[in-house]
Amino acid sequence: MPIRHRRRAGAATAALLTASLVLGACSGDGDGPAPEAAPSTAPTQQVTKGEQVAPETWPLTGLPVKGGRSAAARHPVMVLKMDNTSSSAPQRGLGSADLVVEELVEGGLTRLAAFFYSDIPGTVGPVRSMRASDIGIVSPVDAAVVTSGAAPITIRRIQEAGIRFFGEGAKGFFRDSSRSAPYNLMTDLAETATLVKRAATRPDDYLPWGDAADLPKGKPGRDLQARFSYGHTTTWTFENGRYRNVNTYAAADDQFLADSVLVLRVRVGDAGYKDPAGNPVPETFLEGRGQALLLHGGRAITGTWTKAGLNAPIELRNRFGTLRVPAGNTWIELVPEATGSVTVG
């Protein structure tokens, strides 16, 4: 599905301009090599389990590890399933996340999978339930999931995939009396993370990390609207060198400011059951291939993504070869390819 571009609203005399931008390689699309720049200083080598690079880098950001610390933390990657509706406000913990994935759930709403590794905060939440979609999201880094639970069919599939998860009743979980149920389940993630021992090796890189100087020129990309359904669109704007989620539910002092926003167009099917309100539960298939869009530094670069299986890493390419995400904090939008849409301004 094409990406629609629009000119950001400015002077009253400025005309709105909308043009189609097809994700993928096309001649003259502005995704040529970047202007000649100084050699990259950030690591661009993808790291596999057991390998080390100099300097050591965090697997969820690609950023160098400082202060003599090791990139293999004392805990596995912790993924918090967080509500993403107005009932969740204020969300807590997103400002400490390394990476966030937004996925479609029932009712046309979305839910967040917030990844924590380099920094484990205290209180996070509200904590909500898992989906089968999470198998492809968390498996590449062998993450442990923090969740309020799941439907029996989902729990069975999560267990069959060998994914560890922790829910209410486990260490760290509590109910916040200032919130309404079921949006009042929180956890002290620092306590919950002690329930699992540290991984023996550094997790794989979640994305192919690189340097902004090596990005193709791309197109202007200061604003993004990622529409998951008629009921939900996530909006981003580029401010002070980073992307801000305009319609976030996060607390004002605890927001996730993204260095990059990565949009992956994905297939969505029926998970095979309904929620208590009778809504069919969708399942996002994060494997195979699809169109990709990377926003960084106020510009947008088109390409494709591939993922050989649920456990496999995400690979990105454009017509010049491997497309690397500049090291930093990244928000990934899993937008349905058939029913969603993406508009860039």
Side-chain angles (χ1 to χ4, degrees):
M1 179 172 291
I3 294 293
R4 296 194 298 275
H5 279 254
R6 59 174 175 80
R7 191 182 304 275
R8 192 176 185 181
T13 57
L16 292 177
L17 175 63
T18 303
S20 294
L21 171 62
V22 177
L23 289 174
C26 59
S27 177
D29 62 0
D31 283 355
E36 187 172 342
S40 170
T41 58
T44 59
Q45 176 183 356
Q46 186 157 350
V47 180
T48 57
K49 291 180 180 178
E51 287 187 5
Q52 300 293 334
V53 295
E56 275 193 303
T57 58
W58 293 110
L60 301 180
T61 64
L63 294 171
V65 178
K66 299 178 181 179
R69 299 172 66 190
S70 171
R74 296 178 180 276
H75 49 77
V77 174
M78 306 295 292
V79 175
L80 175 78
K81 292 309 304 293
M82 183 180 290
D83 189 80
N84 195 41
T85 68
S86 59
S87 299
S88 68
Q91 296 165 329
R92 285 290 176 187
L94 286 179
S96 299
D98 288 326
L99 178 145
V100 178
V101 178
E102 184 172 9
E103 60 187 292
L104 182 70
V105 293
E106 59 275 11
L109 304 175
T110 64
R111 191 153 294 175
L112 307 181
F115 285 64
F116 299 89
Y117 190 65
S118 65
D119 181 19
I120 298 294
T123 298
V124 294
V127 186
R128 296 303 303 275
S129 57
M130 302 178 291
R131 297 292 184 272
S133 306
D134 296 321
I135 297 173
I137 293 172
V138 310
S139 293
V141 288
D142 193 25
V145 180
V146 179
T147 175
S148 64
I153 185 174
T154 300
I155 290 178
R156 183 174 69 250
R157 292 181 61 184
I158 294 287
Q159 290 174 330
E160 289 173 350
I163 296 171
R164 296 161 292 183
F165 61 92
F166 303 93
E168 186 170 11
K171 186 177 181 180
F173 281 83
F174 65 95
R175 293 280 176 175
D176 184 344
S177 60
S178 68
R179 298 172 182 254
S180 299
Y183 309 100
N184 62 347
L185 181 62
M186 313 291 283
T187 193
D188 183 328
L189 194 60
E191 290 190 22
T192 306
T194 65
L195 295 174
V196 282
K197 297 179 180 179
R198 66 175 287 177
T201 58
R202 175 192 185 281
D204 291 345
D205 281 352
Y206 197 83
L207 293 169
W209 301 114
D211 190 274
D214 300 322
L215 284 177
K217 290 180 293 186
K219 300 271 190 179
R222 300 186 64 87
D223 297 281
L224 171 72
Q225 292 184 341
R227 186 176 70 86
F228 284 79
S229 69
Y230 288 109
H232 181 79
T233 297
T234 299
T235 303
W236 295 89
T237 190
F238 187 64
E239 296 178 351
N240 301 317
R242 306 182 86 180
Y243 287 90
R244 180 176 64 86
N245 185 349
V246 174
N247 54 341
T248 183
Y249 298 112
D253 62 345
D254 203 4
Q255 297 187 25
F256 186 95
L257 297 177
D259 295 294
S260 301
V261 179
L262 177 62
V263 180
L264 305 180
R265 304 305 301 271
V266 294
R267 292 185 302 111
V268 176
D270 191 333
Y273 66 99
K274 296 182 179 180
D275 72 358
N279 298 306
V281 176
E283 179 175 353
T284 294
F285 302 109
L286 190 52
E287 61 179 332
R289 63 176 55 245
Q291 298 171 333
L293 177 72
L294 173 64
L295 269 67
H296 180 87
R299 50 188 169 143
I301 298 93
T302 61
T304 59
W305 67 271
T306 59
K307 196 165 179 288
L310 293 176
N311 293 314
I314 297 168
E315 298 180 3
L316 301 170
R317 295 185 65 83
N318 68 356
R319 61 193 178 105
F320 299 102
T322 298
L323 178 61
R324 297 189 181 277
V325 179
N329 297 107
T330 303
W331 185 293
I332 301 176
E333 304 282 21
L334 300 182
V335 178
E337 62 181 9
T339 58
S341 65
V342 180
T343 303
V344 179

